[in-house]
Amino acid sequence: MPKDWYEWHDLYKIEPKLQQRLEIVREYIAYSLNASPLGAIRIVSLCAGDGRDLLGTLENHPRAKDVSARLVEINSNLVERGRATIESLGLAKQIEFINGDATLATNYVGAVPADIVIVCGVFGNLTDGELNRLLDNLSFLSKTGAFVIWTRGHSNGIPYSDNVRKILSASGFEEVNFKLTATGDMGVGIHQYRGENLPQPKEQKLFVFSGIPSKAR
């Protein structure tokens, strides 16, 4: 089993559920870009890994030059790899990769409210209480009309994504689409925020990430 998150990302080479999840996430990012109004598109990504979901989408997307993005990731090796990809795509002036704690509100100041919020590979690494707190704080990260793209793994026959969908719908987020991977154990959703942006989060800490790579879901 992987010992750290950098090693965990190597599972994308061999795990069908992760490969399928990534494909759906990129599909939803592309949809969000296409559906955004003309002009600048602001994006933030929490616990961004090496940014392969967003960067892989922007590589061939016609609206790539409209994007300004901030990706936040605490693992320095993943950030280094992501920054190298950004340079290779010629997007260094548009995309900022912060090597920092994605749970802190200060790491998003100046980049939010965003038009697209990417929260992938996060929810399965939170307690129920922290999941609720993060979902509540999405109103700080999201502008009215923003698209939120998220993932949640299933295990032991329990469809954990059902709870996420329920909470989001009750919190001013309208479901745009939801898919399960062909393996049946990864849910990917896209919601659109219909509420008002909150300029200040309720707390400096948006959530507490408690996951470990060997048990990631």
Side-chain angles (χ1 to χ4, degrees):
M1 297 299 291
K3 296 177 292 185
D4 61 34
W5 291 107
Y6 184 78
E7 188 177 296
W8 182 88
H9 277 70
D10 287 338
L11 295 177
Y12 276 100
K13 300 174 183 177
I14 59 172
E15 286 279 359
K17 65 180 179 181
L18 292 179
Q19 295 165 352
Q20 294 164 18
R21 183 181 81 171
L22 178 61
E23 182 179 352
I24 299 170
V25 170
R26 286 177 173 172
E27 173 190 335
Y28 287 171
I29 293 173
Y31 172 89
S32 301
L33 291 169
N34 294 335
S36 293
L38 293 177
I41 303 172
R42 182 180 286 184
I43 301 175
V44 294
S45 180
L46 290 68
C47 300
D50 57 10
R52 66 180 64 198
D53 46 13
L54 175 60
L55 301 178
T57 307
L58 294 179
E59 183 176 4
N60 296 304
H61 199 280
R63 298 202 64 185
K65 294 299 183 181
D66 292 335
V67 168
S68 63
R70 181 177 297 177
L71 290 71
V72 185
E73 168 60 47
I74 202 167
N75 185 290
S76 59
N77 291 323
L78 288 170
V79 172
E80 182 179 346
R81 187 159 68 187
R83 287 174 176 166
T85 302
I86 291 169
E87 288 285 348
S88 71
L89 295 175
L91 298 174
K93 293 182 178 180
Q94 301 169 234
I95 302 179
E96 178 183 22
F97 216 135
I98 290 182
N99 186 192
D101 189 345
T103 73
L104 300 180
T106 51
N107 280 326
Y108 304 97
V109 173
V112 295
D115 300 284
I116 301 172
V117 179
I118 302 171
V119 200
C120 295
V122 179
F123 293 164
N125 297 288
L126 309 180
T127 65
D128 288 345
E130 293 303 323
L131 172 62
N132 287 326
R133 178 152 68 133
L134 175 53
L135 292 177
D136 193 38
N137 278 318
L138 287 178
S139 57
F140 157 65
L141 300 170
S142 311
K143 68 184 294 184
T144 301
F147 294 100
V148 175
I149 300 162
W150 57 273
T151 64
R152 182 64 171 98
H154 295 182
S155 62
N156 300 318
I158 302 173
Y160 289 105
S161 57
D162 287 354
N163 187 47
V164 176
R165 298 167 75 184
K166 181 179 178 181
I167 297 172
L168 283 171
S169 295
S171 303
F173 291 85
E174 179 182 319
E175 185 166 291
V176 177
N177 205 348
F178 174 83
K179 291 183 181 181
L180 281 176
T181 57
T183 58
D185 51 3
M186 279 282 182
V188 186
I190 175 171
H191 280 67
Q192 190 166 24
Y193 186 46
R194 298 302 187 186
E196 296 183 4
N197 169 251
L198 298 182
Q200 295 294 330
K202 295 180 179 179
E203 303 172 23
Q204 163 63 13
K205 194 91 168 173
L206 300 178
F207 60 99
V208 173
F209 188 93
S210 57
I212 56 176
S214 61
K215 296 183 179 180
R217 292 182 293 174

mmCIF file of all heavy atoms in Angstrom, residues 126-168:
data_model
loop_
_atom_site.group_PDB
_atom_site.id
_atom_site.type_symbol
_atom_site.label_atom_id
_atom_site.label_comp_id
_atom_site.label_asym_id
_atom_site.label_seq_id
_atom_site.Cartn_x
_atom_site.Cartn_y
_atom_site.Cartn_z
ATOM 1 N N LEU A 126 -12.594 12.531 5.278
ATOM 2 C CA LEU A 126 -13.112 13.397 6.326
ATOM 3 C C LEU A 126 -14.088 12.634 7.212
ATOM 4 O O LEU A 126 -14.778 11.732 6.741
ATOM 5 C CB LEU A 126 -13.852 14.595 5.713
ATOM 6 C CG LEU A 126 -13.153 15.429 4.635
ATOM 7 C CD1 LEU A 126 -14.063 16.560 4.182
ATOM 8 C CD2 LEU A 126 -11.829 15.971 5.129
ATOM 9 N N THR A 127 -14.150 13.002 8.470
ATOM 10 C CA THR A 127 -15.216 12.483 9.325
ATOM 11 C C THR A 127 -16.532 13.107 8.882
ATOM 12 O O THR A 127 -16.550 14.097 8.127
ATOM 13 C CB THR A 127 -14.956 12.840 10.793
ATOM 14 O OG1 THR A 127 -15.019 14.274 10.942
ATOM 15 C CG2 THR A 127 -13.585 12.337 11.253
ATOM 16 N N ASP A 128 -17.647 12.563 9.369
ATOM 17 C CA ASP A 128 -18.942 13.110 8.980
ATOM 18 C C ASP A 128 -19.066 14.578 9.364
ATOM 19 O O ASP A 128 -19.589 15.394 8.599
ATOM 20 C CB ASP A 128 -20.064 12.305 9.641
ATOM 21 C CG ASP A 128 -20.229 10.924 9.029
ATOM 22 O OD1 ASP A 128 -19.688 10.700 7.925
ATOM 23 O OD2 ASP A 128 -20.880 10.069 9.655
ATOM 24 N N GLY A 129 -18.568 14.925 10.550
ATOM 25 C CA GLY A 129 -18.649 16.305 11.000
ATOM 26 C C GLY A 129 -17.831 17.242 10.134
ATOM 27 O O GLY A 129 -18.271 18.357 9.812
ATOM 28 N N GLU A 130 -16.653 16.797 9.741
ATOM 29 C CA GLU A 130 -15.792 17.626 8.897
ATOM 30 C C GLU A 130 -16.328 17.724 7.474
ATOM 31 O O GLU A 130 -16.175 18.746 6.812
ATOM 32 C CB GLU A 130 -14.361 17.084 8.893
ATOM 33 C CG GLU A 130 -13.662 17.212 10.232
ATOM 34 C CD GLU A 130 -13.607 18.644 10.744
ATOM 35 O OE1 GLU A 130 -13.435 19.570 9.919
ATOM 36 O OE2 GLU A 130 -13.750 18.844 11.958
ATOM 37 N N LEU A 131 -16.975 16.670 7.002
ATOM 38 C CA LEU A 131 -17.615 16.726 5.689
ATOM 39 C C LEU A 131 -18.681 17.813 5.688
ATOM 40 O O LEU A 131 -18.750 18.638 4.772
ATOM 41 C CB LEU A 131 -18.238 15.372 5.343
ATOM 42 C CG LEU A 131 -19.109 15.338 4.086
ATOM 43 C CD1 LEU A 131 -18.298 15.690 2.846
ATOM 44 C CD2 LEU A 131 -19.778 13.978 3.922
ATOM 45 N N ASN A 132 -19.515 17.831 6.728
ATOM 46 C CA ASN A 132 -20.559 18.842 6.814
ATOM 47 C C ASN A 132 -19.962 20.241 6.875
ATOM 48 O O ASN A 132 -20.487 21.179 6.262
ATOM 49 C CB ASN A 132 -21.429 18.600 8.054
ATOM 50 C CG ASN A 132 -22.336 17.394 7.882
ATOM 51 O OD1 ASN A 132 -22.799 17.125 6.784
ATOM 52 N ND2 ASN A 132 -22.598 16.677 8.955
ATOM 53 N N ARG A 133 -18.852 20.389 7.607
ATOM 54 C CA ARG A 133 -18.227 21.708 7.732
ATOM 55 C C ARG A 133 -17.686 22.186 6.383
ATOM 56 O O ARG A 133 -17.867 23.343 6.014
ATOM 57 C CB ARG A 133 -17.107 21.656 8.773
ATOM 58 C CG ARG A 133 -16.369 22.983 8.913
ATOM 59 C CD ARG A 133 -15.777 23.179 10.292
ATOM 60 N NE ARG A 133 -14.696 22.279 10.601
ATOM 61 C CZ ARG A 133 -13.536 22.682 11.138
ATOM 62 N NH1 ARG A 133 -13.323 23.960 11.389
ATOM 63 N NH2 ARG A 133 -12.597 21.802 11.443
ATOM 64 N N LEU A 134 -17.018 21.294 5.655
ATOM 65 C CA LEU A 134 -16.484 21.678 4.358
ATOM 66 C C LEU A 134 -17.602 22.015 3.379
ATOM 67 O O LEU A 134 -17.524 23.016 2.654
ATOM 68 C CB LEU A 134 -15.603 20.565 3.785
ATOM 69 C CG LEU A 134 -15.074 20.782 2.355
ATOM 70 C CD1 LEU A 134 -14.361 22.120 2.223
ATOM 71 C CD2 LEU A 134 -14.154 19.647 1.945
ATOM 72 N N LEU A 135 -18.645 21.200 3.353
ATOM 73 C CA LEU A 135 -19.754 21.476 2.448
ATOM 74 C C LEU A 135 -20.396 22.818 2.774
ATOM 75 O O LEU A 135 -20.796 23.573 1.877
ATOM 76 C CB LEU A 135 -20.787 20.348 2.526
ATOM 77 C CG LEU A 135 -20.333 18.991 1.982
ATOM 78 C CD1 LEU A 135 -21.410 17.932 2.180
ATOM 79 C CD2 LEU A 135 -19.952 19.084 0.514
ATOM 80 N N ASP A 136 -20.467 23.156 4.051
ATOM 81 C CA ASP A 136 -20.999 24.447 4.467
ATOM 82 C C ASP A 136 -20.095 25.583 3.990
ATOM 83 O O ASP A 136 -20.557 26.642 3.569
ATOM 84 C CB ASP A 136 -21.132 24.475 5.988
ATOM 85 C CG ASP A 136 -21.962 25.654 6.475
ATOM 86 O OD1 ASP A 136 -22.955 26.005 5.813
ATOM 87 O OD2 ASP A 136 -21.622 26.235 7.528
ATOM 88 N N ASN A 137 -18.783 25.359 4.024
ATOM 89 C CA ASN A 137 -17.820 26.393 3.648
ATOM 90 C C ASN A 137 -17.661 26.552 2.137
ATOM 91 O O ASN A 137 -16.963 27.461 1.677
ATOM 92 C CB ASN A 137 -16.462 26.110 4.282
ATOM 93 C CG ASN A 137 -16.386 26.582 5.720
ATOM 94 O OD1 ASN A 137 -16.859 27.665 6.049
ATOM 95 N ND2 ASN A 137 -15.807 25.771 6.587
ATOM 96 N N LEU A 138 -18.292 25.677 1.353
ATOM 97 C CA LEU A 138 -18.247 25.849 -0.098
ATOM 98 C C LEU A 138 -18.878 27.173 -0.522
ATOM 99 O O LEU A 138 -18.568 27.707 -1.583
ATOM 100 C CB LEU A 138 -18.956 24.685 -0.794
ATOM 101 C CG LEU A 138 -18.236 23.338 -0.787
ATOM 102 C CD1 LEU A 138 -19.094 22.284 -1.472
ATOM 103 C CD2 LEU A 138 -16.872 23.433 -1.465
ATOM 104 N N SER A 139 -19.755 27.733 0.329
ATOM 105 C CA SER A 139 -20.376 29.016 0.008
ATOM 106 C C SER A 139 -19.377 30.168 0.115
ATOM 107 O O SER A 139 -19.638 31.261 -0.378
ATOM 108 C CB SER A 139 -21.575 29.281 0.928
ATOM 109 O OG SER A 139 -21.173 29.240 2.286
ATOM 110 N N PHE A 140 -18.244 29.938 0.756
ATOM 111 C CA PHE A 140 -17.148 30.913 0.776
ATOM 112 C C PHE A 140 -16.305 30.799 -0.489
ATOM 113 O O PHE A 140 -15.851 31.799 -1.051
ATOM 114 C CB PHE A 140 -16.283 30.679 2.025
ATOM 115 C CG PHE A 140 -14.878 31.197 1.922
ATOM 116 C CD1 PHE A 140 -14.615 32.554 1.799
ATOM 117 C CD2 PHE A 140 -13.795 30.325 1.960
ATOM 118 C CE1 PHE A 140 -13.313 33.033 1.709
ATOM 119 C CE2 PHE A 140 -12.488 30.785 1.873
ATOM 120 C CZ PHE A 140 -12.248 32.152 1.744
ATOM 121 N N LEU A 141 -16.122 29.582 -0.969
ATOM 122 C CA LEU A 141 -15.271 29.347 -2.133
ATOM 123 C C LEU A 141 -15.984 29.612 -3.455
ATOM 124 O O LEU A 141 -15.331 29.883 -4.462
ATOM 125 C CB LEU A 141 -14.774 27.899 -2.112
ATOM 126 C CG LEU A 141 -13.938 27.479 -0.899
ATOM 127 C CD1 LEU A 141 -13.732 25.971 -0.898
ATOM 128 C CD2 LEU A 141 -12.602 28.203 -0.882
ATOM 129 N N SER A 142 -17.315 29.543 -3.447
ATOM 130 C CA SER A 142 -18.092 29.552 -4.692
ATOM 131 C C SER A 142 -18.853 30.854 -4.893
ATOM 132 O O SER A 142 -19.515 31.336 -3.973
ATOM 133 C CB SER A 142 -19.106 28.401 -4.687
ATOM 134 O OG SER A 142 -18.501 27.177 -4.342
ATOM 135 N N LYS A 143 -18.797 31.376 -6.097
ATOM 136 C CA LYS A 143 -19.660 32.500 -6.446
ATOM 137 C C LYS A 143 -21.031 31.951 -6.824
ATOM 138 O O LYS A 143 -21.184 30.743 -7.089
ATOM 139 C CB LYS A 143 -19.063 33.298 -7.610
ATOM 140 C CG LYS A 143 -19.054 32.563 -8.933
ATOM 141 C CD LYS A 143 -18.366 33.352 -10.029
ATOM 142 C CE LYS A 143 -19.104 34.613 -10.380
ATOM 143 N NZ LYS A 143 -18.471 35.323 -11.526
ATOM 144 N N THR A 144 -22.022 32.793 -6.858
ATOM 145 C CA THR A 144 -23.335 32.348 -7.314
ATOM 146 C C THR A 144 -23.224 31.865 -8.761
ATOM 147 O O THR A 144 -22.684 32.561 -9.620
ATOM 148 C CB THR A 144 -24.354 33.499 -7.227
ATOM 149 O OG1 THR A 144 -24.424 33.956 -5.877
ATOM 150 C CG2 THR A 144 -25.728 33.040 -7.683
ATOM 151 N N GLY A 145 -23.696 30.663 -9.007
ATOM 152 C CA GLY A 145 -23.597 30.068 -10.338
ATOM 153 C C GLY A 145 -22.370 29.199 -10.534
ATOM 154 O O GLY A 145 -22.202 28.598 -11.602
ATOM 155 N N ALA A 146 -21.513 29.122 -9.519
ATOM 156 C CA ALA A 146 -20.288 28.329 -9.644
ATOM 157 C C ALA A 146 -20.596 26.839 -9.767
ATOM 158 O O ALA A 146 -21.570 26.334 -9.208
ATOM 159 C CB ALA A 146 -19.390 28.559 -8.437
ATOM 160 N N PHE A 147 -19.712 26.145 -10.474
ATOM 161 C CA PHE A 147 -19.792 24.698 -10.572
ATOM 162 C C PHE A 147 -18.848 24.085 -9.537
ATOM 163 O O PHE A 147 -17.693 24.506 -9.419
ATOM 164 C CB PHE A 147 -19.397 24.218 -11.965
ATOM 165 C CG PHE A 147 -20.353 24.640 -13.040
ATOM 166 C CD1 PHE A 147 -20.068 25.731 -13.857
ATOM 167 C CD2 PHE A 147 -21.550 23.954 -13.242
ATOM 168 C CE1 PHE A 147 -20.947 26.124 -14.852
ATOM 169 C CE2 PHE A 147 -22.439 24.337 -14.231
ATOM 170 C CZ PHE A 147 -22.141 25.438 -15.038
ATOM 171 N N VAL A 148 -19.336 23.099 -8.810
ATOM 172 C CA VAL A 148 -18.525 22.361 -7.835
ATOM 173 C C VAL A 148 -18.438 20.912 -8.295
ATOM 174 O O VAL A 148 -19.464 20.247 -8.501
ATOM 175 C CB VAL A 148 -19.129 22.441 -6.419
ATOM 176 C CG1 VAL A 148 -18.329 21.573 -5.446
ATOM 177 C CG2 VAL A 148 -19.165 23.884 -5.933
ATOM 178 N N ILE A 149 -17.217 20.434 -8.472
ATOM 179 C CA ILE A 149 -16.976 19.067 -8.944
ATOM 180 C C ILE A 149 -16.350 18.283 -7.819
ATOM 181 O O ILE A 149 -15.354 18.711 -7.217
ATOM 182 C CB ILE A 149 -16.057 19.085 -10.181
ATOM 183 C CG1 ILE A 149 -16.714 19.900 -11.311
ATOM 184 C CG2 ILE A 149 -15.747 17.660 -10.656
ATOM 185 C CD1 ILE A 149 -15.762 20.346 -12.389
ATOM 186 N N TRP A 150 -16.913 17.141 -7.491
ATOM 187 C CA TRP A 150 -16.483 16.393 -6.316
ATOM 188 C C TRP A 150 -16.508 14.895 -6.583
ATOM 189 O O TRP A 150 -17.125 14.428 -7.545
ATOM 190 C CB TRP A 150 -17.387 16.728 -5.127
ATOM 191 C CG TRP A 150 -18.847 16.455 -5.370
ATOM 192 C CD1 TRP A 150 -19.768 17.308 -5.941
ATOM 193 C CD2 TRP A 150 -19.565 15.235 -5.113
ATOM 194 N NE1 TRP A 150 -21.003 16.695 -6.037
ATOM 195 C CE2 TRP A 150 -20.908 15.436 -5.526
ATOM 196 C CE3 TRP A 150 -19.205 14.007 -4.558
ATOM 197 C CZ2 TRP A 150 -21.874 14.435 -5.406
ATOM 198 C CZ3 TRP A 150 -20.173 13.008 -4.438
ATOM 199 C CH2 TRP A 150 -21.496 13.234 -4.861
ATOM 200 N N THR A 151 -15.846 14.146 -5.717
ATOM 201 C CA THR A 151 -15.833 12.681 -5.805
ATOM 202 C C THR A 151 -16.057 12.086 -4.421
ATOM 203 O O THR A 151 -15.747 12.699 -3.405
ATOM 204 C CB THR A 151 -14.500 12.156 -6.361
ATOM 205 O OG1 THR A 151 -13.443 12.499 -5.447
ATOM 206 C CG2 THR A 151 -14.198 12.758 -7.726
ATOM 207 N N ARG A 152 -16.567 10.885 -4.411
ATOM 208 C CA ARG A 152 -16.713 10.144 -3.148
ATOM 209 C C ARG A 152 -16.727 8.657 -3.452
ATOM 210 O O ARG A 152 -17.535 8.174 -4.253
ATOM 211 C CB ARG A 152 -17.999 10.549 -2.428
ATOM 212 C CG ARG A 152 -18.210 9.851 -1.080
ATOM 213 C CD ARG A 152 -17.131 10.239 -0.081
ATOM 214 N NE ARG A 152 -17.417 9.764 1.270
ATOM 215 C CZ ARG A 152 -16.899 8.635 1.795
ATOM 216 N NH1 ARG A 152 -16.115 7.870 1.048
ATOM 217 N NH2 ARG A 152 -17.170 8.283 3.024
ATOM 218 N N GLY A 153 -15.828 7.924 -2.828
ATOM 219 C CA GLY A 153 -15.770 6.490 -3.015
ATOM 220 C C GLY A 153 -16.833 5.764 -2.218
ATOM 221 O O GLY A 153 -17.329 6.258 -1.204
ATOM 222 N N HIS A 154 -17.213 4.588 -2.700
ATOM 223 C CA HIS A 154 -18.132 3.703 -1.993
ATOM 224 C C HIS A 154 -17.333 2.519 -1.447
ATOM 225 O O HIS A 154 -16.315 2.142 -2.024
ATOM 226 C CB HIS A 154 -19.222 3.184 -2.923
ATOM 227 C CG HIS A 154 -20.120 4.258 -3.439
ATOM 228 N ND1 HIS A 154 -21.186 3.991 -4.266
ATOM 229 C CD2 HIS A 154 -20.127 5.605 -3.253
ATOM 230 C CE1 HIS A 154 -21.812 5.123 -4.570
ATOM 231 N NE2 HIS A 154 -21.173 6.113 -3.969
ATOM 232 N N SER A 155 -17.788 1.936 -0.356
ATOM 233 C CA SER A 155 -17.130 0.740 0.180
ATOM 234 C C SER A 155 -18.127 -0.082 0.982
ATOM 235 O O SER A 155 -19.093 0.459 1.531
ATOM 236 C CB SER A 155 -15.926 1.119 1.056
ATOM 237 O OG SER A 155 -16.326 1.873 2.167
ATOM 238 N N ASN A 156 -17.896 -1.382 1.010
ATOM 239 C CA ASN A 156 -18.759 -2.307 1.759
ATOM 240 C C ASN A 156 -20.225 -2.163 1.356
ATOM 241 O O ASN A 156 -21.127 -2.335 2.179
ATOM 242 C CB ASN A 156 -18.614 -2.088 3.270
ATOM 243 C CG ASN A 156 -17.194 -2.305 3.748
ATOM 244 O OD1 ASN A 156 -16.527 -3.252 3.320
ATOM 245 N ND2 ASN A 156 -16.707 -1.426 4.612
ATOM 246 N N GLY A 157 -20.433 -1.840 0.085
ATOM 247 C CA GLY A 157 -21.795 -1.730 -0.408
ATOM 248 C C GLY A 157 -22.526 -0.478 0.016
ATOM 249 O O GLY A 157 -23.734 -0.343 -0.242
ATOM 250 N N ILE A 158 -21.835 0.464 0.660
ATOM 251 C CA ILE A 158 -22.472 1.685 1.147
ATOM 252 C C ILE A 158 -22.261 2.816 0.134
ATOM 253 O O ILE A 158 -21.120 3.177 -0.162
ATOM 254 C CB ILE A 158 -21.897 2.108 2.513
ATOM 255 C CG1 ILE A 158 -22.089 0.982 3.532
ATOM 256 C CG2 ILE A 158 -22.560 3.397 3.002
ATOM 257 C CD1 ILE A 158 -21.418 1.239 4.861
ATOM 258 N N PRO A 159 -23.339 3.394 -0.405
ATOM 259 C CA PRO A 159 -23.220 4.484 -1.384
ATOM 260 C C PRO A 159 -23.019 5.831 -0.677
ATOM 261 O O PRO A 159 -23.946 6.626 -0.543
ATOM 262 C CB PRO A 159 -24.553 4.417 -2.130
ATOM 263 C CG PRO A 159 -25.524 3.907 -1.095
ATOM 264 C CD PRO A 159 -24.743 2.972 -0.216
ATOM 265 N N TYR A 160 -21.806 6.089 -0.246
ATOM 266 C CA TYR A 160 -21.527 7.296 0.529
ATOM 267 C C TYR A 160 -21.848 8.577 -0.245
ATOM 268 O O TYR A 160 -22.119 9.623 0.358
ATOM 269 C CB TYR A 160 -20.059 7.319 0.959
ATOM 270 C CG TYR A 160 -19.717 6.313 2.026
ATOM 271 C CD1 TYR A 160 -19.007 5.154 1.718
ATOM 272 C CD2 TYR A 160 -20.102 6.512 3.344
ATOM 273 C CE1 TYR A 160 -18.687 4.226 2.697
ATOM 274 C CE2 TYR A 160 -19.790 5.593 4.333
ATOM 275 C CZ TYR A 160 -19.077 4.448 4.004
ATOM 276 O OH TYR A 160 -18.770 3.531 4.974
ATOM 277 N N SER A 161 -21.804 8.506 -1.557
ATOM 278 C CA SER A 161 -22.084 9.709 -2.340
ATOM 279 C C SER A 161 -23.526 10.180 -2.178
ATOM 280 O O SER A 161 -23.815 11.369 -2.380
ATOM 281 C CB SER A 161 -21.795 9.454 -3.824
ATOM 282 O OG SER A 161 -22.547 8.363 -4.300
ATOM 283 N N ASP A 162 -24.424 9.281 -1.811
ATOM 284 C CA ASP A 162 -25.822 9.678 -1.616
ATOM 285 C C ASP A 162 -25.945 10.758 -0.550
ATOM 286 O O ASP A 162 -26.734 11.702 -0.687
ATOM 287 C CB ASP A 162 -26.680 8.469 -1.220
ATOM 288 C CG ASP A 162 -26.933 7.515 -2.375
ATOM 289 O OD1 ASP A 162 -26.531 7.846 -3.518
ATOM 290 O OD2 ASP A 162 -27.520 6.440 -2.141
ATOM 291 N N ASN A 163 -25.160 10.627 0.515
ATOM 292 C CA ASN A 163 -25.206 11.609 1.596
ATOM 293 C C ASN A 163 -24.675 12.963 1.135
ATOM 294 O O ASN A 163 -25.236 14.010 1.475
ATOM 295 C CB ASN A 163 -24.384 11.110 2.786
ATOM 296 C CG ASN A 163 -24.526 11.998 4.003
ATOM 297 O OD1 ASN A 163 -25.627 12.383 4.378
ATOM 298 N ND2 ASN A 163 -23.406 12.330 4.631
ATOM 299 N N VAL A 164 -23.608 12.940 0.339
ATOM 300 C CA VAL A 164 -23.054 14.188 -0.191
ATOM 301 C C VAL A 164 -24.090 14.889 -1.067
ATOM 302 O O VAL A 164 -24.314 16.106 -0.945
ATOM 303 C CB VAL A 164 -21.773 13.914 -1.001
ATOM 304 C CG1 VAL A 164 -21.258 15.199 -1.640
ATOM 305 C CG2 VAL A 164 -20.697 13.297 -0.123
ATOM 306 N N ARG A 165 -24.726 14.161 -1.930
ATOM 307 C CA ARG A 165 -25.722 14.741 -2.826
ATOM 308 C C ARG A 165 -26.881 15.344 -2.038
ATOM 309 O O ARG A 165 -27.380 16.434 -2.375
ATOM 310 C CB ARG A 165 -26.235 13.670 -3.793
ATOM 311 C CG ARG A 165 -25.150 13.103 -4.683
ATOM 312 C CD ARG A 165 -25.589 11.842 -5.403
ATOM 313 N NE ARG A 165 -26.497 12.119 -6.510
ATOM 314 C CZ ARG A 165 -27.073 11.163 -7.228
ATOM 315 N NH1 ARG A 165 -26.856 9.880 -6.945
ATOM 316 N NH2 ARG A 165 -27.873 11.481 -8.228
ATOM 317 N N LYS A 166 -27.279 14.660 -0.990
ATOM 318 C CA LYS A 166 -28.386 15.136 -0.153
ATOM 319 C C LYS A 166 -28.036 16.446 0.541
ATOM 320 O O LYS A 166 -28.824 17.397 0.544
ATOM 321 C CB LYS A 166 -28.739 14.062 0.887
ATOM 322 C CG LYS A 166 -29.883 14.432 1.807
ATOM 323 C CD LYS A 166 -30.174 13.300 2.782
ATOM 324 C CE LYS A 166 -31.297 13.670 3.742
ATOM 325 N NZ LYS A 166 -31.568 12.559 4.708
ATOM 326 N N ILE A 167 -26.839 16.499 1.126
ATOM 327 C CA ILE A 167 -26.423 17.704 1.845
ATOM 328 C C ILE A 167 -26.258 18.875 0.884
ATOM 329 O O ILE A 167 -26.680 20.005 1.180
ATOM 330 C CB ILE A 167 -25.110 17.452 2.613
ATOM 331 C CG1 ILE A 167 -25.320 16.380 3.688
ATOM 332 C CG2 ILE A 167 -24.610 18.745 3.273
ATOM 333 C CD1 ILE A 167 -24.034 15.936 4.356
ATOM 334 N N LEU A 168 -25.628 18.635 -0.258
ATOM 335 C CA LEU A 168 -25.443 19.710 -1.232
ATOM 336 C C LEU A 168 -26.783 20.275 -1.697
ATOM 337 O O LEU A 168 -26.953 21.500 -1.784
ATOM 338 C CB LEU A 168 -24.639 19.200 -2.428
ATOM 339 C CG LEU A 168 -23.137 19.051 -2.216
ATOM 340 C CD1 LEU A 168 -22.497 18.334 -3.399
ATOM 341 C CD2 LEU A 168 -22.479 20.418 -2.024
#
